[in-house]
Amino acid sequence: MEINIYYIEDNKMKWTSLNELREKFLSFFESKGHLRLPSFSLIPNNDKSLLLINSGMAPMKKYFTGEEVPPRNRVCTCQKCIRTPDLERVGHTARHGTYFEMLGNFSFGDYFKEEAISWAWEFLNGVLEIPKDLLWPSVYEEDDEAYAIWRDKIGVSEAHIVKLGKADNFWEHGSGPCGPCSEIYFDRGEKYGCGSPDCKPGCDCDRFMEIWNNVFSQFNNDGAGNYTELVQKNIDTGMGLERLACVMQGVDNLFEVDTVRKILDTVCEISNKKYGENAKDDISIRVVTDHIRSATFMISDGVIPSNEGRGYVLRRILRRACRHGKLLGIERKFLKELCEIVIGQNDNAYPELKEKRDYILKVVVLEEERFNTTIDAGLGILSSLISELKEKGEKIISGEDAFKLYDTFGFPVDLTREIAEEAGLSVDNGAFTALMEEQKTRARAARGNVSGWSDSSKDLLSKLPETEFVGYDNAECKATLLSIIMDGEEVETVNEGECSLVFNKTVFYGEGGGQVGDTGVILSDNASLTVIDTKKTNGVFIHEVKIESGALKKGDVLNLKIDTDRRLSINRNHSACHLLQAALRKVLGTHVEQAGSYVDEHRVRFDFTHLAAMTKEEIARVEAIVNANILMSESCYTEVSDIESARKKGAMALFGEKYGDKVRVVSIGSSSVELCGGTHVSSTGEIGLFKVISESSVAAGVRRIEGTTGLGVLALLAEKEDIITETAKELKAQNPATIAKKAASLQSEIKETKRELESANAKLSELKTQSLLENIKQVGKFKLLTAKIEARPDSARGLCDSVKAKFSDGVAVFAAISDGKLNFVAAAGPEAVKCGAHAGNILKEISAICGGKGGGRPDSAMSGGRELDKIEDALARVEEILKQY
Ligand SMILES: [Zn+2]
Ligand SMILES: [Zn+2]
């Protein structure tokens, strides 16, 4: 690749492309003994505190804490990063972007301040040839060591070293490792300055730009402000690649950096706009440019648009890009084209972009199509609403209307606002927000709702203590009856019918976490009940029971006993569900996230994020992995711990889900660790066997697998066996193993028979025609054949056609009867037509005799009739008609 090198007069920098800068940095630190690691995925690995990697240091955390041993004690990376807290600001200024890359060199107990400082200087001043007088180091005011290195070892004059306080130059995050920093600032020149004689790094103006931060992790903070020296001291540095590119390319902001500018120019090309001409367009151009970069890298790392967690971040980013494309007047789909530019600009450093190109483009196109559908539906409604309001002279779109657009059509309210503004209208934001709040409250209430219960019984429920659940380890227990609820009202006693019971404790699992509620029996000396279902709301377990005999009253102590066989089947399916999820991630990739699940005694149903239908091979691999886990008969155990240690164990959990302080961590064998409140087997071997029943689509980007285990597999086998036995019997196969052969030979027999039948039929109709033709007679200029035949209309037409083909002057008229229905079919040869015969007219006249209607072309026609006893008259009439011609 040829690179044009030229010097920007303003700051004397050697122009270097972003891709070249990245390479220069990494190979420089390789030459200093660092191991070059590829960028980590944007999806944090086992770090649930983070949605997306947002700094070069984030994926290194486990090396710094000593939790994991780094592959070498000095490494360097260029890390993909995404930051979205100020998503709405992106585009409005040229300073905000969501995607950037971070260069960093790291030492884990290896080199320290002296090397870090020297190499930073050597790279900027030596390799990149940034003039000395444009570089300003800063140190923490109490860090004399760093100050001395800058002054004595590097030779920076004291006037050029800035001392800054704790807020700027001390890195600290609560208790734990911390330490001073030393930053390097770049002087952009007086024209960016405030003019103050004190203007230097740390000043509020734009003149000095921080480009590199070196963190010296040196102390441990005990949490009370006592600092002790760490035994293992670390170096953690970070330099924004785009920011460095700004310096080296002499440009003002990220959007002017070569690789980014290329995307921006393509946006302008597609939209036919010029950047820098119109402030409003510029915002949209920047939004699209930035967002397509983020989206491309997120999808490449396995994020799929969804309504949750990082999937939702991606969806917002893509939709925002779509919308701003529309604002720029782009009518067609355009994101794919831009995506290809992003891939082309980055695939040397990130070869996975090339590998996943088709996949990335597919995700983008799908999401763009989905958004366009939403927009099209909403736009129509909104524009008629706007013209209606304008006619009435009103200026405000009501909160109700905006909410309806949002709630029913998924139309984003900021878009409603924007379009309203363009039409000189506004949206009643207050009313809209109130409706949103109301909806949220409704949703909350719905979650705590038990269907069919009156408000008073709901009140009652909220006063009852949480039920103690002892069903993880027990199949039966004695419990005190706290409340009886019948027809939604609390009663003191009950002696028949169905009602709901609440106890102080229970062994019955209340439906939740995708697992059905338990069934079973409740007994006492004077009562017997069947438990039909068990539900749970706010920790209170509700047993829906049918009283078989006897009577109950509040305060009774009863014996609760679950249906153990059913529960064991549920356990098997639930544990298999966890194994299934782990296997899917192994086979399909880490983008697989749970989108819903359901287990009962018959089957397991698991919904997950994935774009394409699974292939037969993929399903077979998943099945094989799950069964291998089962056959190893590994032990399963549960542990109640705090959320932090659960995370450390790598427990999978949905983002955005709120867990209490204490969580239940379920490990199924060695391959699955999850937060789960359900009931499980104690060894994977208990599952018996796992079989996938079906794989299907639930929604765009969401697939569903259904499977079964243990006795369910046995039932499946029995069912298949029945089918085979039945089939063998029908096929008269002695041995079921031969049914395929038998079926194949039957097939070819049928084929042969069909062929023979066809030729026999052909011969037969030939004979029929022959015998019919004997009745042909000369009527004037025509050879006429009329007949009443038993035949379906189409075969009668075939007969007609053969007459027509044989005799150019022939006219054939048949009354064809099949299934008691009459049809007339007529045909006239070319010569006959020339002489005036008209099949259509003939039929029109004769079918009328039989009470029917019809007609057709001169050479061919068909009609119906109802009165079968008049057929002879009708056919006789043909001769008279022909005589007239
Ligand atoms: Zn200043
Ligand atoms: Zn579970």
Side-chain angles (χ1 to χ4, degrees), residues 214-336:
N214 284 264
V215 180
F216 310 128
S217 188
Q218 182 173 8
F219 302 111
N220 184 60
N221 180 352
D222 68 356
N226 302 312
Y227 296 92
T228 47
E229 288 264 336
L230 284 171
V231 185
Q232 182 191 309
K233 291 176 182 143
N234 299 320
I235 291 289
D236 154 22
T237 78
M239 173 157 60
L241 176 60
E242 287 84 352
R243 207 179 264 196
L244 182 65
C246 285
V247 169
M248 295 309 293
Q249 298 178 5
V251 295
D252 195 44
N253 64 70
L254 128 88
F255 292 95
E256 303 288 348
V257 169
D258 61 339
T259 55
V260 187
R261 180 71 203 209
K262 173 86 179 129
I263 304 165
L264 184 140
D265 286 341
T266 313
V267 176
C268 291
E269 223 172 85
I270 294 174
S271 60
N272 212 5
K273 300 271 184 190
K274 268 213 177 83
Y275 187 53
E277 266 189 355
N278 171 314
K280 200 163 165 268
D281 286 347
D282 286 353
I283 292 174
S284 294
I285 292 169
R286 284 191 293 257
V287 167
V288 177
T289 303
D290 170 81
H291 286 13
I292 197 67
R293 292 177 82 214
S294 282
T296 304
F297 280 99
M298 282 171 89
I299 298 166
S300 153
D301 279 348
V303 183
I304 287 182
S306 75
N307 287 330
E308 235 159 13
R310 57 178 86 91
Y312 185 61
V313 174
L314 174 58
R315 172 159 285 168
R316 273 185 73 198
I317 284 178
L318 276 173
R319 294 195 158 185
R320 206 162 173 259
C322 285
R323 183 159 73 75
H324 281 274
K326 286 192 187 294
L327 290 177
L328 287 170
I330 306 173
E331 302 279 355
R332 60 185 170 91
K333 283 188 282 178
F334 66 102
L335 291 183
K336 184 179 157 191

Side-chain angles (χ1 to χ4, degrees), residues 192-196 198-208:
Y192 291 98
C194 55
S196 149
D198 287 336
C199 186
K200 56 182 170 184
C203 181
D204 281 337
C205 70
D206 285 338
R207 177 166 173 181
F208 295 95

Side-chain angles (χ1 to χ4, degrees), residues 453-472:
W453 285 44
S454 70
D455 286 345
S456 61
S457 55
K458 273 185 230 158
D459 260 8
L460 165 79
L461 271 185
S462 66
K463 281 181 201 119
L464 285 167
E466 284 193 12
T467 313
E468 184 193 349
F469 180 65
V470 296
Y472 287 126

Side-chain angles (χ1 to χ4, degrees), residues 443-494:
R444 266 197 297 274
R447 275 198 288 280
N449 187 23
V450 180
S451 57
W453 285 44
S454 70
D455 286 345
S456 61
S457 55
K458 273 185 230 158
D459 260 8
L460 165 79
L461 271 185
S462 66
K463 281 181 201 119
L464 285 167
E466 284 193 12
T467 313
E468 184 193 349
F469 180 65
V470 296
Y472 287 126
D473 309 307
N474 303 289
E476 60 180 297
C477 74
K478 279 199 184 330
T480 309
L481 182 54
L482 299 183
S483 180
I484 308 169
I485 298 144
M486 200 156 198
D487 299 327
E489 301 298 333
E490 188 175 32
V491 294
E492 293 300 308
T493 60
V494 63

Side-chain angles (χ1 to χ4, degrees), residues 608-627:
F608 59 100
T609 51
H610 184 57
L611 272 184
M614 284 177 74
T615 63
K616 249 173 120 179
E617 291 71 32
E618 285 168 341
I619 293 174
R621 273 171 65 203
V622 165
E623 219 173 57
I625 291 173
V626 173
N627 282 309

Side-chain angles (χ1 to χ4, degrees), residues 22-46:
R22 186 197 294 114
E23 181 52 37
K24 277 192 166 171
F25 177 88
L26 293 171
S27 50
F28 173 77
F29 278 97
E30 269 182 322
S31 78
K32 303 293 179 193
H34 288 65
L35 174 68
R36 179 203 291 226
L37 293 179
S39 171
F40 290 82
S41 166
L42 282 165
I43 300 179
N45 184 23
N46 290 337

